Amino acid sequence: MFADLGLPNADEHLIKAEIVLGIAARIKSKGLTQAQASKLIGLAQPDVSKLLRGQFSGYSYERLFGFLIALGERVKIEVSDAKTKKQARVELEMS
C-alpha cells in the first residue's frame, strides 16, 4: 500500500504500521484505556491517540518495540540468510 502511494521507505512504513497494529491489539486485549496505556508506555495520552491513528513516522523501531515490551510483550529479532538478493527483506511476525 505505501509503495503504491509512492512513499519513500515504503517497506519501513509497512513494518511500522504492523507494529502499531500489534500495539493497538495488545492495548485492546488487556482492556486498557488510552490513559492507562499511556502510563505504561511512557507517552502522553494524546500521543497514544495519534500513534493509534497512524501517526507513527517519528518513531523508531526501537521505540515501538519498547512500547510492546512496556505492555508486557516479548520482542524477538531474528536475522537469517536469504538465498538471493531478491529474497532479502524485512518481515514481521507477531503472535
Side-chain angles (χ1 to χ4, degrees), residues 8 29 31 38 53 56 62 90:
S29 72
S38 73
R53 285 186 284 121
F56 53 80
E62 181 180 14
V90 176

Side-chain angles (χ1 to χ4, degrees), residues 2-3 7-20 56-62 64-65 89-92:
F2 294 107
L7 293 175
N9 304 318
D11 290 340
E12 179 180 340
H13 286 290
L14 179 59
I15 295 293
K16 285 184 177 182
E18 290 177 6
I19 296 169
V20 170
F56 53 80
S57 62
Y59 293 95
S60 66
Y61 288 120
E62 181 180 14
L64 294 172
F65 290 145
R89 64 182 172 273
V90 176
E91 296 177 347
L92 177 66

Side-chain angles (χ1 to χ4, degrees), residues 2 9-27 37 40-43 47-77 90 92 94:
F2 294 107
N9 304 318
D11 290 340
E12 179 180 340
H13 286 290
L14 179 59
I15 295 293
K16 285 184 177 182
E18 290 177 6
I19 296 169
V20 170
L21 287 173
I23 292 168
R26 274 31 178 214
I27 289 170
L40 285 175
I41 67 176
L43 279 181
D47 293 330
V48 171
S49 178
K50 289 176 187 173
L51 179 70
L52 298 179
R53 285 186 284 121
Q55 297 177 17
F56 53 80
S57 62
Y59 293 95
S60 66
Y61 288 120
E62 181 180 14
R63 189 136 187 235
L64 294 172
F65 290 145
F67 297 157
L68 285 169
I69 291 167
L71 290 167
E73 302 300 320
R74 180 174 174 230
V75 175
K76 178 182 176 183
I77 299 169
V90 176
L92 177 66
M94 296 184 80

Side-chain angles (χ1 to χ4, degrees), residues 80-91:
S80 60
D81 288 330
K83 302 228 186 266
T84 67
K85 186 166 177 125
K86 270 187 159 180
Q87 293 175 329
R89 64 182 172 273
V90 176
E91 296 177 347

